[in-house]
Amino acid sequence: MDEITISRAIVESYMKDFMGAMETDVAIAGAGPSGLVTAYYLAKEGTKVVVLERQLRVGGGMTGGGMMFNRIVVQEEGRRILDEFDVSTREYRKGYYVADSLEAIAAICSKAIKAGAMIFNLISVEDVMIREGDRITGLVLNWSAVSWSKLHVDPLTVRCKVAVDATGHDAEVCSIVVKKIGPRLKTQTGGVMGERSMWAEKGEKEILRNTREVYPGLVVAGMTANAVCGSPRMGAIFGGMLLSGKKAARVAAGLLEQS
Ligand code: 48F
């Protein structure tokens, strides 16, 4: 085996995929459960999807389960989605199902990639691209290592027809929009309202209503949806994240049809 051939294989194949990702239908910030589920359902229907993940690993907050006990809980509707990903679940009490968080995230990620989603880790979304009417038309990216080491290096971009903010509790893309364009999100205040304290039942209920387009060309998924709309967090129950990802895919597909 030749080291230089190995090196060329890695760089050439990555660059080919990365060049292919620069013009996409949907660009998703964040490869936590909601971002990966959104990517899967879109890719399955033949939509071109790119996911950008800041960390070395995918999975966001799902990997660690509840307080590092690597198990997750889902309700009946969430279990049906885990079934679609062939993730094993065990009924704990009526209506409460437990799954292994590592199996869940590995299966969801694998299915998303096999369906055609392109996932790039170690890349952070640091801004959005806008055009006439302040429509969001792309994401601005940099290597996470650049921001972690506070280097002054200019970013690159991907163009998309629809962007999805699936960055979790911090709603990073929406926060950037508010900071740079103004408080013009489709929320009660126009800004990122901030998540409320834990209330699992209410948080899980409201997340589906909150999963929608909040700015022209920008859809929110997962915990970002609740953070942006001022709804409660829900802790280590993950059905809402899965259901939100599925709905975000539907919303994005609808916007693509109109574009
Ligand atoms: O936080 P995260 O898992 O968000 P989620 O999909 O799921 C939330 C649950 O994990 C949990 C919960 C369940 O009740 O409340 O917290 O809504 O995944 C978000 C991912 O986005 C990445 C981050 O590293 C994580 O993997 N991320 C955050 N900001 C950026 C980013 C960014 N600016 N660019 C790229 N990735």
Side-chain angles (χ1 to χ4, degrees), residues 28-190:
I28 301 173
S34 65
L36 290 174
V37 168
T38 307
Y40 167 73
Y41 283 108
L42 284 165
K44 190 161 84 82
E45 297 307 318
T47 303
K48 189 171 174 187
V49 194
V50 174
V51 185
L52 294 318
E53 167 53 48
R54 169 183 286 153
Q55 297 293 335
L56 177 58
R57 59 158 177 76
V58 297
M62 185 180 262
T63 320
M67 215 178 97
M68 297 206 286
F69 299 104
N70 63 1
R71 300 290 182 274
I72 56 167
V73 171
V74 294
Q75 61 286 70
E76 189 63 49
E77 300 87 334
R79 184 190 63 85
R80 280 200 286 272
I81 296 195
L82 287 182
D83 284 349
E84 289 186 53
F85 287 98
D86 296 324
V87 175
S88 323
T89 50
R90 192 166 45 80
E91 192 170 34
Y92 178 72
R93 295 264 192 285
K94 194 170 167 11
Y96 293 75
Y97 298 86
V98 181
D100 181 311
S101 65
L102 300 180
E103 183 191 349
I105 211 65
I108 294 167
C109 183
S110 168
K111 287 231 172 187
I113 291 173
K114 283 193 192 305
M118 285 188 273
I119 304 176
F120 297 96
N121 56 340
L122 289 169
I123 292 181
S124 295
V125 176
E126 61 168 56
D127 203 347
V128 295
M129 271 162 45
I130 57 166
R131 287 295 181 274
E132 291 75 18
D134 287 345
R135 189 180 175 80
I136 288 169
T137 56
L139 297 178
V140 178
L141 322 174
N142 217 327
W143 296 117
S144 301
V146 165
S147 54
W148 289 334
S149 34
K150 301 194 191 320
L151 295 175
H152 184 172
V153 179
D154 268 314
L156 296 175
T157 47
V158 294
R159 189 182 352 259
C160 60
K161 294 177 185 147
V162 178
V164 178
D165 186 349
T167 59
H169 296 259
D170 292 336
E172 292 202 15
V173 180
C174 291
S175 301
I176 291 165
V177 168
V178 171
K179 185 171 157 215
K180 296 208 171 179
I181 306 176
R184 288 161 47 193
L185 300 179
K186 294 174 201 158
T187 63
Q188 275 170 28
T189 60

Side-chain angles (χ1 to χ4, degrees), residues 7-35:
S7 303
R8 282 189 198 284
I10 288 170
V11 174
E12 266 182 42
S13 72
Y14 186 93
M15 283 308 163
K16 187 163 168 275
D17 288 346
F18 194 59
M19 293 285 279
M22 280 184 181
E23 307 249 9
T24 186
D25 292 328
V26 180
I28 301 173
S34 65

